[in-house]
Amino acid sequence: MMMRCTAVCLVALTLVGSFCDAQWSGAFNKPSKPRYEKPSPPVSHPSKQLPQDPSQSKQTFEKPLTWRYPEDPKADPPAEVPFELRHPVPAPSVAVECRERDAHVEIKKDMFGIGQFINPADLTLGTCAVVAEDTAAQVLIFEAELHDCGSTLTMTEHSLVYTFVINYNPQPLGPPVVRTSGAAVIVECHYARKHNVSSLPLDPLWIPYSAVKVAEELLYFTLTLRTDDWLHERPSSQYFLGDIINIEATVKQYFHVPLRVYVDNCVASVSPDASSGPKYYFIENHGCFVDAKLTGSDSKFITRTAENILQFQLEAFRFQNTDTGVVYITCHLKATTAAHPIDNEHRACSYISGWKEASGVDAACGSCESESFNPSVSGSSTWGGSPSSAFSDPRRKIRDVSQSQTFEWEGDVTLGPIAIEEKVVA
């Protein structure tokens, strides 16, 4: 036990001695620097650099540089080619003849007009196949009864319409390609429900029912200003003194027998009321154009080109002692069947070195010269007495059941206002 305590004491004394030695050594000796010091950051000291002569100089050129970097290549502009896209138009390859009991249809084998013939087996008229072929004309022929081949009947107010459908269904031959496309063409046959059968040339002693129905139909008269070539209606009603006014009188025939129109008389006035004054009758006495006879003008009827049309020319004029230059023209028109002869009550006579009739029947103008005309244009005076008939409803119709079976329609038409200006003299 004593030895253990002695050992502990010796260790303690050794440690104390080491501590004391360390304290005294610090009082007399500077601590030594560590073997490895942490490097300190470098300190830069600015120094003045002496100027030196430049070793390089800017190069100059006597001529400016023309070289450039090459540009990206550009495509050549497209050339202008004279080209126009042709749009296909329907080829006139189908013809139809509507007969009394059947329809006769002819179709070109080059149905589309492209030079490619179709196979007849691919073509049907409704449910009917081709019945014949014209090899010389390259035409396929169909014939079908009106109620056959799947036709349909439609009834309108005036017509019976039978409709057929031409079906073309191309089938590929060999490779699965076709040169034409499928098509359906509608074919119609129209038949009138009402027939006007004229028996006037037979001069019967009885009045046929069909002729009575013709007389009861309503007609329409028109009076229009025309261009110099007579092809179009004139868009302007402005004229100057001395101008020629082209006027055309027509009757709308519709389903009537052929008709012939006449200008029975015409009067010019300053208002739409034909009975107001002043007024001027320039056509009188059932179609006598008296203006040229009395004033020496160039007014006249034009030679007929169609029975239901009558054209005439009136030299422009103004009423004396009136401030207005406006003129209204009211004409009394008549129409008869074209089979009725031209006579002294149905005529179109012009004074051209004598009386001439528009249809060449000059003998009908004999009574125009025998009449005495009064050139007064005021009041109710007229040339050749009173007008042949009073102006009435322009759509009024009459029926004359006489021995000659003459059917006649008449009506009044007013044209205007027509402005007549004076010509300026330089």
Side-chain angles (χ1 to χ4, degrees):
M1 184 69 182
M2 288 296 292
M3 290 180 69
R4 182 180 298 177
C5 292
T6 304
V8 170
C9 290
L10 289 174
V11 171
L13 289 174
T14 302
L15 294 173
V16 170
S18 299
F19 177 77
C20 291
D21 182 62
Q23 291 292 328
W24 285 106
S25 298
F28 296 99
N29 298 321
K30 241 176 161 183
S32 62
K33 293 183 180 180
R35 182 176 296 178
Y36 298 103
E37 295 181 357
K38 184 178 181 180
S40 60
V43 179
S44 60
H45 298 281
S47 60
K48 186 175 180 181
Q49 185 176 3
L50 297 176
Q52 298 179 359
D53 295 335
S55 60
Q56 294 182 353
S57 62
K58 183 177 180 181
Q59 185 178 3
T60 59
F61 301 92
E62 296 181 359
K63 295 182 180 180
L65 293 176
T66 57
W67 183 88
R68 296 289 186 272
Y69 283 99
E71 297 181 356
D72 295 335
K74 295 182 179 179
D76 295 335
E80 295 184 1
V81 179
F83 172 77
E84 181 180 358
L85 180 62
R86 295 182 180 180
H87 296 276
V89 296
S93 56
V94 179
V96 183
E97 180 184 358
C98 297
R99 298 172 178 174
E100 184 176 356
R101 298 181 56 186
D102 59 3
H104 179 86
V105 181
E106 295 184 358
I107 304 175
K108 294 181 180 179
K109 294 187 69 174
D110 185 10
M111 184 176 177
F112 296 92
I114 59 176
Q116 183 73 29
F117 286 175
I118 62 175
N119 185 3
D122 298 337
L123 194 66
T124 59
L125 178 63
T127 58
C128 298
V130 175
V131 298
E133 180 178 350
D134 187 347
T135 55
Q138 298 295 339
V139 170
L140 304 176
I141 300 174
F142 293 87
E143 287 186 356
E145 297 287 338
L146 294 179
H147 296 280
D148 199 4
C149 299
S151 66
T152 58
L153 172 61
T154 305
M155 187 179 300
T156 65
E157 182 180 358
H158 302 288
S159 303
L160 298 173
V161 182
Y162 292 89
T163 304
F164 298 88
V165 179
I166 300 173
N167 294 306
Y168 174 60
N169 298 310
Q171 300 298 323
L173 299 175
V177 297
V178 293
R179 298 294 183 185
T180 56
S181 57
V185 180
I186 296 176
V187 175
E188 294 182 349
C189 283
H190 293 244
Y191 297 89
R193 291 181 58 191
K194 302 176 183 179
H195 295 273
N196 291 324
V197 182
S198 174
S199 55
L200 296 179
L202 301 177
D203 197 15
L205 298 177
W206 51 275
I207 303 174
Y209 175 76
S210 59
V212 175
K213 295 299 292 182
V214 172
E216 293 177 356
E217 292 286 346
L218 195 63
L219 298 183
Y220 290 87
F221 296 97
T222 61
L223 204 64
T224 56
L225 299 175
R226 310 300 293 182
T227 55
D228 293 341
D229 55 7
W230 296 96
L231 297 179
H232 307 282
E233 184 173 354
R234 196 175 192 268
S236 173
S237 59
Q238 174 73 55
Y239 293 90
F240 293 91
L241 287 177
D243 287 350
I244 297 297
I245 304 175
N246 293 335
I247 304 175
E248 183 176 273
T250 60
V251 58
K252 300 296 184 181
Q253 297 189 139
Y254 298 110
F255 297 102
H256 288 269
V257 295
L259 300 176
R260 184 185 295 122
V261 66
Y262 300 93
V263 180
D264 198 67
N265 56 71
C266 283
V267 61
S269 58
V270 294
S271 70
D273 184 7
S275 61
S276 64
K279 56 186 176 181
Y280 170 38
Y281 282 93
F282 54 90
I283 298 179
E284 250 302 322
N285 191 25
H286 303 301
C288 296
F289 209 149
V290 297
D291 184 61
K293 173 71 173 179
L294 296 172
T295 65
S297 68
D298 293 328
S299 302
K300 63 180 180 296
F301 285 108
I302 303 299
T303 303
R304 280 188 188 270
T305 57
E307 298 295 347
N308 67 317
I309 298 175
L310 183 59
Q311 300 168 337
F312 60 95
Q313 294 180 321
L314 175 65
E315 190 171 329
F317 62 87
R318 299 180 64 172
F319 284 100
Q320 190 176 9
N321 299 325
T322 57
D323 296 333
T324 178
V326 174
V327 173
Y328 290 84
I329 295 176
T330 303
C331 293
H332 187 75
L333 306 182
K334 294 195 303 187
T336 64
T337 59
H340 184 270
I342 298 173
D343 53 25
N344 58 357
E345 292 187 357
H346 306 89
R347 58 192 177 183
C349 298
S350 305
Y351 188 80
I352 309 173
S353 300
W355 291 101
K356 307 292 182 182
E357 211 280 326
S359 297
V361 187
D362 298 341
C365 302
S367 60
C368 289
E369 187 66 31
S370 63
E371 296 293 339
S372 57
F373 302 107
N374 178 15
S376 174
V377 295
S378 61
S380 59
S381 302
T382 59
W383 295 324
S386 61
S388 58
S389 61
F391 289 102
S392 56
D393 182 2
R395 296 179 299 173
R396 186 170 69 88
K397 58 190 181 302
I398 64 172
R399 179 167 60 92
D400 181 11
V401 186
S402 61
Q403 295 181 354
S404 61
Q405 298 295 325
T406 301
F407 296 94
E408 181 178 290
W409 298 262
E410 59 184 347
D412 298 337
V413 183
T414 300
L415 182 62
I418 303 174
I420 311 296
E421 299 290 340
E422 295 183 358
K423 287 188 175 180
V424 178
V425 180

